[in-house]
Amino acid sequence: MHIVLDDTAMAAAGQGNVLASRLIHRAHAEPGWFLYVPACALGEADRARPGTAEHLASLPGITVLDLDLAAALAVARQQTWATAHSQYAAQPTPDRPDGAIIATTAPGRWAGEPVRVLDLTS
């Protein structure tokens, strides 16, 4: 299972969201569970809730995704860096042929986008 936390999910994790906490636990404890935090979304989450970046980056089972050239080009075409980097990170890759699911507390943000969404507000 490959899951990308968007900035809203990261902020929610810092506020004790049970579903986000479960994802973090699974990524650490269960084989086959992978949790990604795109650097641009991590920065935005830290703006909304200071300390989020350091906390998430220190957790085992979390992979911070750098802004490489391909991601930078994708980000440049979008309105917000956080959303663009999260969407880019969720796209299929050779390591993740089915792509990844975006975990969020703002599912409406992803309406009409070609991504799968996991609503953390339920």
Side-chain angles (χ1 to χ4, degrees):
M1 180 69 58
H2 296 274
I3 299 175
V4 173
L5 295 179
D6 75 359
D7 56 306
T8 67
M10 291 180 220
Q15 295 172 326
N17 180 290
V18 174
L19 297 175
S21 294
R22 285 182 186 165
L23 290 176
I24 292 167
H25 173 74
R26 283 185 175 216
H28 172 66
E30 294 184 30
W33 281 79
F34 302 94
L35 201 55
Y36 306 98
V37 294
C40 292
L42 186 60
E44 191 62 34
D46 199 67
R47 276 192 211 156
R49 184 169 172 77
T52 299
E54 291 86 0
H55 175 69
L56 285 174
S58 71
L59 294 174
I62 301 278
T63 301
V64 177
L65 301 176
D66 294 333
L67 187 65
D68 61 12
L69 177 58
L73 294 173
V75 164
R77 294 186 211 111
Q78 299 292 330
Q79 293 289 338
T80 69
W81 288 27
T83 303
H85 200 187
S86 297
Q87 183 173 345
Y88 173 79
Q91 299 308 305
T93 66
D95 294 340
R96 297 184 309 268
D98 294 328
I101 299 166
I102 295 180
T104 184
T105 61
R109 167 193 286 183
W110 300 103
E113 297 296 336
V115 294
R116 294 174 293 159
V117 172
L118 175 61
D119 184 353
L120 298 181
T121 62
S122 303

